Amino acid sequence: NAGVTQTPKFQVLKTGQSMTLQCAQDMNHEYMSWYRQDPGMGLRLIHYSVGAGITDQGEVPNGYNVSRSTTEDFPLRLLSAAPSQTSVYFCASSSRTGPDTQYFGPGTRLTVL
Amino acid sequence: GQQVMQIPQYQHVQEGEDFTTYCNSSTTLSNIQWYKQRPGGHPVFLIQLVKSGEVKKQKRLTFQFGEAKKNSSLHITATQTTDVGTYFCAAPNTGTASKLTFGTGTRLQVTL
């Protein structure tokens, strides 16, 4: 099992550009989530999904969209990148329908100029 | 929104010394989880505590959940350089259990 994979590892965007951060898991997990990590602020939940076809907002959803068309994939879309979205983004999954024992991907380091 | 306060923010110890990080909430928690993140890495799940007053051990790590289920601690005995990293507690939101709130983390530095 590859676990949770994320692409790309690094990305530089200009303000206003859009892009999609990819996340996939091969553990047949129901629960998937996206976090951003900024210095001194821990991890903050952006969006989450309790199963295919179901998504909901987390703590900091503005400027981001998600979809969950399959159990395996949970992409995060930045609609119009802003410097405030410069951060490290982590995707995570859990075998239950809630955030128990989350497995994290390696992260995507995003810089918005 | 729900807040989980974690202290200290940073601790620097010499190898062999003990280390403790504390997590506090103003609301009763259904469970609390602990994660470790090595520098440049991703968070890795350590343990989940569910019961009031629960104590669990993993080798040199001891995890406690308070009697009122509002606080938790992680204690490392005789730290080693391999313990370096940031330790986070996390708990499901009281209102929406599908949302997990992380503490701000305690960064541990261990020197010889």
Side-chain angles (χ1 to χ4, degrees):
Chain A
N1 284 355
V4 180
T5 58
Q6 290 184 238
T7 55
K9 290 188 178 180
F10 301 93
Q11 183 70 50
V12 178
L13 292 177
K14 294 181 180 178
T15 297
Q17 287 185 316
S18 62
M19 80 159 295
T20 299
L21 307 185
Q22 301 293 342
C23 174
Q25 52 91 8
D26 61 359
M27 298 175 283
N28 202 32
H29 283 177
E30 293 294 328
Y31 185 91
M32 295 186 74
S33 54
W34 276 102
Y35 296 88
R36 60 176 290 172
Q37 184 173 35
D38 304 296
M41 299 193 72
L43 293 109
R44 292 183 292 168
L45 182 65
I46 304 172
H47 286 285
Y48 66 96
S49 168
V50 299
I54 306 170
T55 64
D56 208 341
Q57 295 182 349
E59 184 185 351
V60 289
N62 292 343
Y64 307 95
N65 272 357
V66 292
S67 60
R68 184 93 181 271
S69 55
T70 66
T71 299
E72 294 78 20
D73 300 298
F74 191 43
L76 177 73
R77 282 182 288 277
L78 279 71
L79 309 173
S80 177
S84 61
Q85 293 179 305
T86 293
S87 187
V88 180
Y89 291 84
F90 288 102
C91 178
S93 73
S94 173
S95 60
R96 302 191 179 184
T97 55
D100 286 349
T101 314
Q102 292 200 93
Y103 294 85
F104 281 80
T108 295
R109 186 174 295 273
L110 175 69
T111 301
V112 183
L113 302 174
Chain B
Q2 175 169 304
Q3 285 192 326
V4 178
M5 308 303 294
Q6 196 170 348
I7 56 171
Q9 280 190 306
Y10 171 77
Q11 185 143 14
H12 183 184
V13 300
Q14 289 200 316
E15 191 175 48
E17 293 182 334
D18 292 355
F19 160 77
T20 305
T21 174
Y22 301 90
C23 201
N24 296 291
S25 169
S26 58
T27 60
T28 302
L29 305 172
S30 60
N31 69 69
I32 194 154
Q33 301 167 32
W34 286 93
Y35 292 80
K36 176 184 178 181
Q37 184 177 24
R38 294 182 187 272
H42 58 274
V44 174
F45 175 83
L46 294 176
I47 208 160
Q48 177 173 280
L49 305 173
V50 179
K51 299 177 183 176
S52 167
E54 190 169 15
V55 178
K56 287 188 176 180
K57 292 190 177 184
Q58 290 179 350
K59 296 183 180 178
R60 294 178 294 103
L61 278 61
T62 301
F63 303 85
Q64 291 190 325
F65 202 7
E67 293 290 342
K69 299 181 73 173
K70 289 185 176 182
N71 56 73
S72 180
S73 65
L74 158 59
H75 179 83
I76 302 178
T77 303
T79 55
Q80 299 175 358
T81 53
T82 53
D83 296 324
V84 165
T86 301
Y87 294 84
F88 293 97
C89 61
N93 281 23
T94 304
T96 309
S98 296
K99 297 183 181 181
L100 198 66
T101 296
F102 277 78
T104 50
T106 295
R107 186 161 70 92
L108 173 64
Q109 180 64 37
V110 181
T111 52
L112 295 171

